């Protein structure tokens, strides 16, 4: 249950990064709406992270949370913001994902 909350928290971290990226591209009311989405995603992410650390050690939970957020944000950047894709970016993205999975596997 707590691992599920942690994964969802990481996905909301990706959501708030996506909202920030979109807010940067627009102005006016649309920018306000994207920033509102950012605050909502940020709040949900932090609440779920807090709930997850009630059972999962903070070092592991924070590492997994930031790993999901970092990997997801790189993928969002590649897909939606046309960031450059290179062998080394993909290589380190996969090592980041492997590290997140590794933390899950070695934590009781």
């Amino acid at each position: 249950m707590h691992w599920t909350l942690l994964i969802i928290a990481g996905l909301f971290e990706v959501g708030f990064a996506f909202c920030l990226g979109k807010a940067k591209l627009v102005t006016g009311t649309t920018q306000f709406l994207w920033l509102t989405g950012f605050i909502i995603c940020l709040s949900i992410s932090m609440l779920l992270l807090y709930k997850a650390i009630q059972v999962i050690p903070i070092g592991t939970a924070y590492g997994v949370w930031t790993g999901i957020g970092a990997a997801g944000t790189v993928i969002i950047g590649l897909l939606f913001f046309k960031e450059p894709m290179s062998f080394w970016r993909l290589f380190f993205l996969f090592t980041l994902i492997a590290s997140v999975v590794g933390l899950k596997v070695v934590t009781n």
Side-chain angles (χ1 to χ4, degrees), residues 12-25 34 38 73 76-77 79-81:
F12 272 100
E13 184 184 6
V14 175
F16 75 68
F18 178 74
C19 289
L20 276 180
K22 293 298 276 187
K24 181 178 86 170
L25 301 175
W34 282 113
F38 161 75
T73 302
I76 291 294
L79 295 176
F80 293 98
F81 298 110

Side-chain angles (χ1 to χ4, degrees), residues 18-106:
F18 178 74
C19 289
L20 276 180
K22 293 298 276 187
K24 181 178 86 170
L25 301 175
V26 295
T27 59
T29 304
T30 307
Q31 185 179 49
F32 174 77
L33 292 173
W34 282 113
L35 290 173
T36 301
F38 161 75
I39 291 170
I40 291 168
C41 287
L42 176 66
S43 299
I44 293 169
S45 182
M46 290 295 154
L47 177 66
L48 294 175
L49 176 61
Y50 174 74
K51 292 216 175 259
I53 66 167
Q54 302 306 307
V55 173
I56 302 168
I58 184 71
T60 300
Y62 189 77
V64 169
W65 179 76
T66 57
I68 291 169
T73 302
V74 169
I75 293 167
I76 291 294
L78 294 171
L79 295 176
F80 293 98
F81 298 110
K82 302 199 182 348
E83 292 180 359
M85 184 183 323
S86 69
F87 168 79
W88 289 111
R89 279 185 72 136
L90 293 176
F91 173 78
F92 288 114
L93 174 62
F94 286 115
T95 59
L96 179 59
I97 293 168
S99 296
V100 168
V101 171
L103 281 172
K104 164 68 171 104
V105 169
V106 300

